[in-house]
Amino acid sequence: MAVASKLLENNFRMNRLPHIWCPGCGHGIIMRGIAEAIENLGYDKQKVCIISGIGCSSRAPGYMDFNTLHTTHGRALAFATGVKLANPDLKVIVVSGDGDATAIGGNHLIHAARRNIDITTIVFNNNIYGMTGGQYSPTTPHNDLGTTAPYGNVDNVFDICRLAEGAGATYVARGTVYHAKQLEKNIESALENKGFSLVEGVSICPTYYGRKNRKGDAAEMMINLKETTLDKKVAAKLPAEKKEGKLIIGEFVNKAQPEFCEEYHKIVDKFTKGD
Amino acid sequence: MVNKNLKLMQGNEACVEGALAAGMKFFAGYPITPSTEIAEISAQRLPRVGGKFIQMEDEIAGMAATIGGSLAGLKSMTATSGPGFSLKQENIGYAMLTEIPCVVVDVQRGGPSTGLPTAPSQSDVMQAKWGTHGDHPVIALSPSSIRETYDLTIQAFNLAEKYRTPVFLMLDEVIGHMREKIEIPDPSDIEIFNRITPDESEKSDYKAYDNSLEVPKMAAFGEGFKFHVTGLMHDEFGFPKNDPTVTEILMSRIMGKIENNLEDILLYDEYYTEDMDLLILSYGGTFRSVMSAVREAQRSGKKVGVFKAKTLWPFPEKRVKELSKKVDNIIVAEMNLGQYYYEVDRIARNNCEVSLLGKANGEPITPTEVLKKIKEVL
């Protein structure tokens, strides 16, 4: 417990806790993972900036003791782009939900990835709009129920990691709140990547998604996460039929490519240095 | 002549040059006619002075990144036109409640909708006032010449920094695309206001929204203050609160910082208002036709005064009321079907008749049309 209290003291606004998330919500595990990763990497906390949009996940910055910005719905990455370009010394982290990042904020997500701007995005994916009471999101499974999908969801699902990879992200990984330690390692690697990185943290919402879709209580949903996921390395050795219906977790992209702010600064340097 | 820095310049270009003179170091936007040159010239000029330009993926992002740039400590601007201004409104409201200084240029075009992309209009006057939801203060300036565009852009930055608020610079296409020879003032003659920042001693207990001050001090991210910013109603430290008392204090301070400083904010010019039978009120590009017509009318012995609003919002209520007592008629000339007119009418209707010379067909109001209206009224 000593370690946990030190983590709290160093990274959280103690007077802002307890958080407002429902009992059994997975989001606290991802938030802890972010704090652990920052702690492990020894970043100067004055230089860390955490930015969110709107939704359950997006309340995290208020609890975390850094430069924090709670923006408009879906726009966290656009705000973050301004902050990062204006001051590239800042370590900019965006926390976002599945709806915030891929529905209303989908355009900003693909373009931040395309630019390869040095921002780490952590998507708290609980497959539902929690804060507004359980409406379906772009990651709610086909046929599942939501308050706005009372007869089953007709939409198809975004694979957030493939979306980010396709748009040009230079680090992409997926973890779950069941595999907390591995998720934390993924966040650490994402923070160390020079460029746009995205970690999808698969979370659970027992209050809305779980209850509505008869997925059981929080503990059952956690066990379900364990049973329905496969590590990428394990999956690589399995035949196709054993992978069916399984969610693959692990690191999908980790590559070095020119970063936006550095490229822009080359232009600035041309005019402001050496004459 | 020798020492004068004279340049032939377009309005949109004068806007960028004024912004640079004011200390602009960050521009984020999205291309839209007729504001595009502001982005293009910013892209060209900013890296040369160590500043940053970014073309965002849409108008919404352009506004968001502008706010982000300002929060990271740089004087920031974005530019757009009618439909883009509409898209930016939610984040403009965010900047108002979170008190983030920035300049939003709107080179107005005909609307509604995509409307008339290359035609002049002054039809975003009410959008500037009420475009975003909620109660909020607005500062909007409107120039009527190229030199005035230069000066009012500097003024827009100064007011934004001084009152920690977004400030609108409302051009119209007439001014944005017109070219005039202007004298660029010497930098030493330009007054610049930079935001008040907290000092080291305030680090441990920094109140980003200190209600004991009319305009709280503003730290930038990365300077060691680690504060929270949210678009929710918030307490003095910036943390969400939906307590009615907290909301009331915050809202009244935000409204008050503008309402209590009208003398500092209001700019207008008057011509022939000492001795007049009729007053014409206008602003922006329309003022030029008004002035031309009024000079003509003066020559034929008609006593017509002119009030030119340079600060559109807040509305120059006190002065317009005073002037309305001196005449039987006020004509409001504007390139829309009566947006500023209603505000003038609200203030002046008990003292005189108020009539509208409005036009929204994509063509500017001509001096002939103004003269005709003068003859109708006088």
Side-chain angles (χ1 to χ4, degrees):
Chain A
M1 281 316 282
V3 177
S5 70
K6 196 158 181 294
L7 184 78
L8 277 169
E9 274 169 36
N10 286 350
N11 299 280
F12 290 89
R13 292 169 169 141
M14 300 299 282
N15 59 350
R16 304 302 308 166
L17 296 170
H19 59 68
I20 60 162
W21 294 321
C22 307
C25 172
H27 285 6
I29 296 169
I30 308 179
M31 181 167 75
R32 180 194 168 121
I34 297 169
E36 291 263 17
I38 292 170
E39 191 71 15
N40 294 345
L41 293 167
Y43 288 147
D44 174 357
K45 292 180 167 48
Q46 311 289 355
K47 298 286 179 196
V48 174
C49 183
I50 305 186
I51 303 178
S52 72
I54 298 292
C56 292
S57 64
S58 292
R59 296 308 286 266
Y63 308 128
M64 303 187 78
D65 193 20
F66 303 95
N67 303 285
T68 52
L69 183 60
H70 179 233
T71 72
T72 45
H73 192 26
R75 315 303 171 194
L77 272 165
F79 279 83
T81 299
V83 170
K84 180 69 187 179
L85 179 61
N87 184 357
D89 290 342
L90 293 172
K91 189 80 217 169
V92 179
I93 302 167
V94 164
V95 299
S96 193
D98 39 310
D100 194 57
T102 68
I104 189 166
N107 199 29
H108 310 307
L109 176 65
I110 58 176
H111 288 281
R114 173 180 63 83
R115 282 186 195 106
N116 196 32
I117 186 164
D118 188 17
I119 294 171
T120 299
T121 298
I122 315 293
V123 182
F124 294 47
N125 180 10
N126 60 3
N127 309 102
I128 202 85
Y129 285 87
M131 194 158 273
T132 41
Q135 299 78 23
Y136 69 99
S137 89
T139 63
T140 302
H142 190 77
N143 289 333
D144 272 11
L145 300 172
T147 57
T148 47
Y151 314 112
N153 175 23
V154 180
D155 273 17
N156 292 317
V157 174
F158 256 144
D159 180 325
I160 298 174
C161 289
R162 286 179 65 195
L163 178 70
E165 181 180 358
T170 45
Y171 182 91
V172 180
R174 179 187 290 129
T176 85
V177 294
Y178 177 83
H179 309 83
K181 213 62 201 164
Q182 187 197 329
L183 178 66
E184 178 192 315
K185 288 285 159 206
N186 288 149
I187 295 171
E188 230 176 276
S189 305
L191 287 169
E192 286 294 88
N193 172 57
K194 186 85 195 163
F196 187 82
S197 46
L198 179 140
V199 177
E200 177 186 352
V202 179
S203 186
I204 54 169
C205 176
T207 308
Y208 290 108
Y209 176 71
R211 190 162 50 95
K212 195 119 192 155
N213 288 286
R214 301 182 189 282
K215 299 284 182 186
D217 61 14
E220 285 172 84
M221 288 184 80
M222 287 292 260
I223 291 163
N224 187 54
L225 273 183
K226 178 191 173 194
E227 287 169 352
T228 56
T229 47
L230 267 180
D231 190 86
K232 189 187 151 198
K233 286 175 192 152
V234 177
K237 294 171 191 155
L238 293 176
E241 64 268 21
K242 294 215 164 176
K243 290 187 275 192
E244 202 157 313
K246 302 275 189 184
L247 186 70
I248 310 295
I249 59 171
E251 210 173 77
F252 303 118
V253 182
N254 191 351
K255 60 182 180 185
Q257 261 179 8
E259 190 273 331
F260 177 81
C261 296
E262 286 186 354
E263 292 301 297
Y264 191 84
H265 271 263
K266 285 181 190 166
I267 300 172
V268 176
D269 286 348
K270 222 185 272 179
F271 293 112
T272 55
K273 270 190 183 164
D275 48 30
Chain B
M1 272 307 281
V2 184
N3 293 322
K4 279 186 179 172
N5 186 7
L6 293 174
K7 282 206 170 117
L8 178 69
M9 218 180 249
Q10 195 191 51
N12 284 346
E13 188 181 358
C15 173
V16 179
E17 293 304 327
L20 291 167
M24 169 179 67
K25 283 286 187 303
F26 189 91
F27 183 103
Y30 188 79
I32 180 166
T33 304
S35 76
T36 316
E37 292 86 358
I38 298 176
E40 289 171 343
I41 300 164
S42 294
Q44 204 173 53
R45 298 278 278 119
L46 273 169
R48 292 170 176 262
V49 297
K52 324 279 172 75
F53 168 91
I54 186 167
Q55 181 172 307
M56 294 300 287
E57 53 274 15
D58 58 34
E59 293 282 2
I60 298 169
M63 191 63 229
T66 302
I67 296 168
S70 183
L71 249 175
L74 303 185
K75 285 192 183 179
S76 303
M77 180 168 96
T78 187
T80 189
S81 300
F85 197 41
S86 302
L87 284 167
K88 289 186 191 303
Q89 290 295 343
E90 186 196 14
N91 283 336
I92 287 170
Y94 182 90
M96 282 167 176
L97 187 64
T98 56
E99 300 177 76
I100 313 289
C102 57
V103 173
V104 180
V105 187
D106 176 22
V107 188
Q108 299 162 84
R109 70 191 223 181
S113 191
T114 319
L116 296 162
T118 58
S121 141
Q122 294 174 314
S123 55
D124 300 346
V125 170
M126 275 296 166
Q127 188 181 190
K129 180 84 173 110
W130 295 117
T132 192
H133 56 285
D135 294 291
H136 52 78
V138 167
I139 300 178
L141 310 177
S142 181
S144 58
S145 72
I146 306 308
R147 172 61 198 262
E148 205 167 85
T149 303
Y150 185 93
D151 294 342
L152 287 189
T153 309
I154 295 170
Q155 183 68 4
F157 272 97
N158 285 348
L159 291 171
E161 295 281 318
K162 196 170 185 179
Y163 296 108
R164 274 190 71 174
T165 188
V167 172
F168 302 136
L169 186 73
M170 308 296 289
L171 300 186
D172 51 66
E173 202 262 350
V174 172
I175 300 302
H177 280 163
M178 181 172 69
R179 283 185 165 79
E180 276 182 328
K181 186 167 75 176
I182 71 163
E183 186 191 337
I184 306 279
D186 190 87
S188 61
D189 293 332
I190 298 172
E191 209 178 311
I192 301 294
F193 194 99
N194 296 317
R195 69 189 69 167
I196 308 289
T197 54
D199 55 50
E200 293 287 311
S201 68
E202 294 169 67
K203 260 183 189 165
S204 59
D205 197 33
Y206 171 56
K207 288 180 181 168
Y209 300 96
D210 186 348
N211 287 320
S212 71
L213 300 168
E214 196 166 48
V215 183
K217 299 174 188 175
M218 186 178 170
F221 278 173
E223 290 175 340
F225 292 84
K226 290 199 300 186
F227 57 108
H228 186 57
V229 178
T230 178
L232 293 164
M233 289 295 165
H234 44 267
D235 63 15
E236 292 190 288
F237 294 96
F239 292 108
K241 277 269 163 29
N242 53 9
D243 177 335
T245 313
V246 171
T247 301
E248 200 158 319
I249 292 170
L250 175 61
M251 287 300 289
S252 62
R253 183 176 57 71
I254 286 178
M255 299 303 283
K257 70 182 179 181
I258 307 302
E259 282 167 4
N260 301 335
N261 291 287
L262 293 180
E263 292 212 354
D264 186 45
I265 297 166
L266 290 178
L267 294 168
Y268 49 80
D269 289 336
E270 290 179 23
Y271 305 85
Y272 317 118
T273 50
E274 285 306 306
D275 180 23
M276 58 177 176
D277 297 323
L278 162 72
L279 177 72
I280 306 187
L281 187 146
S282 75
Y283 52 90
T286 305
F287 162 78
R288 305 173 75 93
S289 295
V290 166
M291 210 50 201
S292 167
V294 167
R295 287 203 182 98
E296 185 74 30
Q298 295 278 3
R299 277 195 284 274
S300 59
K302 290 192 166 65
K303 290 180 181 173
V304 185
V306 177
F307 182 91
K308 178 178 86 174
K310 291 200 270 192
T311 306
L312 294 181
W313 306 111
F315 185 75
E317 190 164 328
K318 191 167 153 242
R319 187 57 188 157
V320 171
K321 191 170 267 175
E322 281 167 9
L323 292 173
S324 69
K325 291 173 184 162
K326 294 185 172 189
V327 292
D328 294 330
N329 289 285
I330 294 179
I331 296 169
V332 179
E334 55 184 344
M335 283 185 274
N336 59 58
L337 298 179
Q339 296 197 12
Y340 218 45
Y341 160 76
Y342 287 109
E343 199 68 8
V344 179
D345 187 51
R346 180 178 71 81
I347 300 304
R349 66 159 61 128
N350 293 331
N351 301 322
C352 70
E353 289 289 315
V354 183
S355 56
L356 168 70
L357 174 58
K359 196 172 175 182
N361 66 352
E363 287 178 349
I365 293 170
T366 63
T368 313
E369 287 166 326
V370 180
L371 266 175
K372 193 175 156 231
K373 186 77 183 173
I374 291 170
K375 280 174 192 158
E376 265 173 44
V377 173
L378 269 188

